[in-house]
Structure formats: structure tokens, C-alpha cells
């Protein structure tokens, strides 16, 4: 019921019954408990000129924004981004804290996360104790059901119970999720996947990630390790990936892989960013052009595999920088088309969505709000027993 109210903004009880299939009496009973718990509020209808019609105006229900403050956190290669929202989803304050090192031991990373959160709260004049819950988005293999990280490019250790580590520093509900899944969540709620039930998000930054939405739900796999697009194999005994294996797609498409190849093959000053590498290619640098061309061919192979396996309605290629055009050139799309199983039906649409780090944090915050809402409802049910 909370999610129905959240989706509508403000909705009358009778309309909630119609949307959810619950009886009006059940809706009235549950809404009374939610009102008493301070999670929702009544919204009086605006006064209108007398029309002569009888009957009492319908009172709507809306979430109480001040019921909870929630933080979404994205751990990236060079920074930690924090976004704090209220229970309605309104953005209160955001903050980006640079990182001195990309990979850390679990306690070091926890300290960095807490520091970034504290800085964000101070910036918004919010007490750290006022944060009801937070979600941390990380690249890597994450079991969100246990807040457990099997492997991440942000950690020097494997098999880390990040939820337990963070719980030693923070007194609030803590959730840990794969960052690409959180981008899929953000795209589904706020972005290009708003009206699509089955779509795939591919994230391109330091590494390569994927979030899969099927029937409006994120697919994670049995161990929480599903949809690891960046670690699908495209070359037997190929380039070394940061995960430790060889031949992963990420080792040919991820930012670090392209810059690594530029350093290895050039004796001159090498690009320090994908933007610089792309600019060099546009200016006629043959080496830069060949690196990006191979990345595009590998990416086309990966896109074709995704379509052959999932057959989604939409594929969204998302990233933190705007210089991803080399991955979606007409040649790349044509190579993808040639490698897809041919049927007499249109191929999925492939679109690009470039944004900053805040999008990841926004998805993390949205996920945390859902989880905190579910916890609140469970507590109400237990109290009623």
C-alpha cells in the first residue's frame, strides 16, 4: 500500500482499493495504522466553488516526507557520491567526496563511506542519527539479500560482509547492492525505462556492468551474481581483467582497459581519460582510433549475445561520461544486427543515457526507501500480532 501511495503521490482510499484489489474496509484499517505510525498523512481537497452536488469531498493519502531520511551512496573508482532524500523521495542534499586510492581494505572503505556521509549531512544541516537507512552501490559481485560482497574492484579483499562492517559504524538500516542494478532501478523509476517492463541497462565506466529488469523486477540470479555482462568471455585466454580472469568483455571495453592499451602501445604522452582518447581519435590518431574501433567490435558482440539470450524491449547504455559514441556507431549497431538471430520482427531499441555520479546514488536511495518502507510495514504487522 505504501508503494501505491508513493507511485501516485496522493491517492484516495477508494482508489487504493481499486489499484490493489483490497477491500475498502482493509484499506481503511491499514491506512489508520500507517497514519498512527506517522508514515502517511491526509491531504485535504482544495476548496472548490459550490456545484450543488451532495457528498463529502474525498480525502487523499500521501507519504510523510519527514517520516524518514534515507541516504543513497555510490562507491566509484575515484570518488564516493552521497544523496540524502526524504521519505517521499525529495532530494535534500548531495555530496561528492574524492578518493585518494581506488581499492581499500573493508574497514578503510567503511571509514571513507562514513566520512562522505558525515560531510553530506553537515552540508545539509542533517544529523547523522536522523538517517533511517542507507544503500551502498558497489561494482562487483554482490549478494544483496545478505549485503555480502564476493568481489569488488573497490576492495582488496574477497568475500566481505559489508553490511556487518558498516553496521559497526552506523546505527541505521544498511543495504548493499550491485551498482548496475541500482542504475536499472533509477532508470525504471526516473529515466528511460519508466514505461518499460523488460529492459536492460549496460553501465560503462571504470568497468562494465549490467542491470536486468524483467516484469518490472530486477533479476539478480540465485547467488546475486547474475547479469555480470562485463565478465562474459569474448576472447579465449585474452586480455587480463581486473577480476583476475582473462578474456572478459570488460578487459576490452572498460575505461581502464582502453587507457591501459593506450599506455602499452604508445611511446608518447598517453591520454589520461576516455574523453582525451576519443578526442585523439577524432583528430586522426591512428592508435586511438584502432583502440576504440576494437572496443566497438567487442561491444557489438556483447550486445548481440544479450539480445539472443534475453530478447529485451529496450537496451540502455549508461555511463558517467558523455564520450561513449564509439560504442554506438552505425558500424557497431550493424555488427550487432548481423550477429543476432534473425527473425521477422524489429530488434530491441538501443539508446544512450549519459549522466553524472548522482544517478547511481539516486538509484541507491530509491532502493533504500523501498527496503525501509518494507521494514516499517513488517514492524506494524508484528506489533499487531
Amino acid at each position: 500500500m505504501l508503494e501505491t501511495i508513493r507511485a501516485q503521490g496522493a491517492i484516495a482510499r477508494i482508489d487504493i482499493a481499486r489499484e490493489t484489489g483490497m477491500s475498502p474496509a482493509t484499506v481503511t484499517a491499514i491506512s489508520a495504522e500507517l497514519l498512527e505510525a506517522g508514515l502517511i498523512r491526509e491531504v485535504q481537497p482544495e476548496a472548490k466553488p459550490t456545484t450543488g452536488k451532495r457528498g463529502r469531498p474525498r480525502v487523499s493519502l500521501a507519504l510523510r516526507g519527514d517520516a524518514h531520511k534515507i541516504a543513497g551512496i555510490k562507491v566509484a573508482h575515484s570518488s564516493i557520491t552521497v544523496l540524502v532524500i526524504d521519505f517521499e523521495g525529495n532530494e535534500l542534499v548531495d555530496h561528492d567526496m574524492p578518493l585518494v586510492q581506488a581499492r581499500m581494505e573493508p574497514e578503510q572503505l567503511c571509514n571513507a563511506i562514513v566520512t562522505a556521509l558525515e560531510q553530506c549531512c553537515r552540508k545539509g544541516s542533517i544529523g547523522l542519527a536522523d538517517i533511517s537507512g542507507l544503500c551502498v552501490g558497489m561494482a562487483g559481485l554482490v549478494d544483496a539479500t545478505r549485503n555480502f560482497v564476493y568481489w569488488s574492484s573497490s576492495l582488496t579483499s574477497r568475500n566481505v560482509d559489508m553490511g556487518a562492517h558498516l553496521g559497526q559504524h552506523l546505527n541505521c538500516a544498511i543495504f548493499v547492492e550491485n551498482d548496475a542494478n541500482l542504475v536499472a532501478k533509477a532508470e525504471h523509476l526516473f529515466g528511460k525505462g519508466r514505461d518499460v517492463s523488460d529492459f536492460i541497462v549496460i553501465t560503462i565506466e571504470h568497468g562494465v556492468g549490467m542491470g536486468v529488469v524483467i516484469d518490472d523486477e530486477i533479476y539478480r540470479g540465485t547467488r546475486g551474481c547474475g547479469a555480470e555482462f562485463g565478465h562474459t568471455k569474448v576472447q579465449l585466454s585474452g586480455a587480463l581483467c581486473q577480476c583476475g580472469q582473462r578474456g572478459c568483455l570488460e578487459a576490452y571495453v572498460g575505461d581502464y582497459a582502453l587507457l591501459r592499451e593506450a599506455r602499452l602501445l604508445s611511446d608518447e604522452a598517453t591520454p589520461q581519460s576516455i574523453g582525451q582518447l576519443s578526442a585523439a581519435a577524432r583528430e586522426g590518431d591512428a592508435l586511438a582510433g584502432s583502440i576504440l574501433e576494437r572496443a566497438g567490435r567487442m561491444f557489438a558482440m556483447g550486445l548481440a549475445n544479450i539480445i539472443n539470450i534475453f530478447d529485451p524491449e529496450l537496451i540502455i547504455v549508461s555511463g558517467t561520461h558523455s564520450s561513449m559514441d564509439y560504442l554506438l556507431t552505425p558500424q557497431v549497431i550493424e555488427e550487432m544486427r548481423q550477429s543476432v538471430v534473425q527473425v521477422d520482427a524489429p530488434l530491441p531499441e538501443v539508446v544512450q543515457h549519459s549522466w553524472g555520479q548522482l544517478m547511481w546514488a539516486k538509484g541507491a536511495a530509491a532502493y533504500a526507501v523501498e527496503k525501509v518502507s518494507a521494514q516499517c510495514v513488517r514492524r506494524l504487522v508484528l506489533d499487531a500480532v
Side-chain angles (χ1 to χ4, degrees):
M1 186 165 147
L2 278 178
E3 293 311 312
T4 301
I5 297 173
R6 188 184 307 283
Q8 298 297 324
I11 183 172
R13 291 172 175 82
I14 189 65
D15 295 325
I16 294 174
R18 188 179 300 113
E19 288 280 334
T20 62
M22 292 188 291
S23 69
T26 301
V27 170
T28 298
I30 294 175
S31 62
E33 293 181 4
L34 295 175
L35 284 164
E36 186 177 355
L39 299 176
I40 63 174
R41 57 190 172 88
E42 291 189 330
V43 180
Q44 299 296 329
E46 295 183 5
K48 295 182 178 179
T50 304
T51 61
K53 293 183 179 180
R54 294 177 177 270
R56 191 172 62 183
R58 292 191 301 181
V59 175
S60 295
L61 299 175
L63 296 176
R64 273 191 58 181
D66 60 356
H68 293 283
K69 292 181 176 63
I70 309 292
I73 298 174
K74 156 65 175 174
V75 178
H77 189 63
S78 58
S79 66
I80 294 178
T81 304
V82 184
L83 172 66
V84 177
I85 65 175
D86 67 15
F87 198 53
E88 287 184 273
N90 300 309
E91 297 179 16
L92 302 179
V93 60
D94 63 85
H95 180 67
D96 192 68
M97 187 186 81
L99 289 176
V100 176
Q101 58 189 109
R103 305 189 72 184
M104 291 174 264
E105 285 293 328
E107 278 306 301
Q108 281 182 285
L109 182 57
C110 287
N111 288 328
I113 290 170
V114 172
T115 299
L117 179 60
E118 288 173 339
Q119 290 177 359
C120 186
C121 287
R122 281 198 299 271
K123 186 176 177 181
S125 300
I126 298 170
L128 190 62
D130 294 330
I131 301 297
S132 300
L134 63 87
C135 175
V136 176
M138 301 175 62
L141 307 176
V142 181
D143 184 348
T145 61
R146 298 190 293 147
N147 301 318
F148 190 88
V149 181
Y150 292 106
W151 171 85
S152 172
S153 56
S154 296
L155 290 168
T156 55
S157 303
R158 288 177 174 262
N159 299 318
V160 177
D161 190 340
M162 277 299 292
H165 278 282
L166 282 168
Q168 296 175 1
H169 298 263
L170 297 166
N171 186 27
C172 65
I174 295 168
F175 313 99
V176 182
E177 173 63 290
N178 172 270
D179 56 359
N181 285 341
L182 296 175
V183 176
K185 171 68 70 176
E187 291 285 6
H188 201 202
L189 294 176
F190 319 114
K192 295 181 180 293
R194 275 196 301 268
D195 302 317
V196 184
S197 296
D198 301 283
F199 68 92
I200 284 174
V201 172
I202 298 171
T203 59
I204 309 291
E205 52 161 2
H206 182 71
V208 177
M210 183 168 78
V212 179
V213 174
I214 301 175
D215 290 335
D216 295 310
E217 297 290 338
I218 292 176
Y219 175 77
R220 294 183 174 85
T222 303
R223 300 172 300 163
C225 301
E228 282 299 326
F229 178 56
H231 302 291
T232 56
K233 304 300 180 281
V234 295
Q235 183 71 50
L236 185 65
S237 301
L240 182 64
C241 179
Q242 62 179 349
C243 75
Q245 295 191 359
R246 289 188 175 274
C248 296
L249 175 69
E250 183 177 289
Y252 297 92
V253 176
D255 288 3
Y256 76 88
L258 303 185
L259 297 176
R260 175 181 65 187
E261 188 168 5
R263 285 194 297 269
L264 289 174
L265 298 179
S266 176
D267 295 328
E268 303 175 2
T270 57
Q272 299 301 307
S273 69
I274 298 301
Q276 292 179 11
L277 186 65
S278 297
R282 288 193 298 270
E283 292 168 5
D285 186 301
L287 175 60
S290 68
I291 292 172
L292 296 184
E293 182 185 3
R294 185 177 72 161
R297 292 200 309 271
M298 290 296 192
F299 192 63
M301 184 191 306
L303 287 176
N305 289 336
I306 285 176
I307 294 171
N308 287 335
I309 294 170
F310 291 101
D311 190 26
E313 180 179 346
L314 173 69
I315 296 176
I316 304 169
V317 181
S318 298
T320 56
H321 48 69
S322 58
S323 52
M324 295 188 295
D325 293 344
Y326 63 93
L327 293 178
L328 294 175
T329 65
Q331 292 81 6
V332 169
I333 298 301
E334 182 56 29
E335 285 197 36
M336 174 199 79
R337 186 185 305 277
Q338 293 299 324
S339 299
V340 171
V341 173
Q342 301 298 311
V343 294
D344 294 328
L347 285 174
E349 184 181 9
V350 181
V351 300
Q352 180 176 332
H353 188 188
S354 300
W355 32 256
Q357 293 288 4
L358 196 58
M359 188 72 171
W360 307 78
K362 196 170 185 179
Y367 179 77
V369 163
E370 287 186 356
K371 302 297 283 186
V372 168
S373 298
Q375 287 185 349
C376 291
V377 171
R378 280 198 295 271
R379 280 197 294 269
L380 287 176
V381 171
L382 291 174
D383 290 344
V385 174

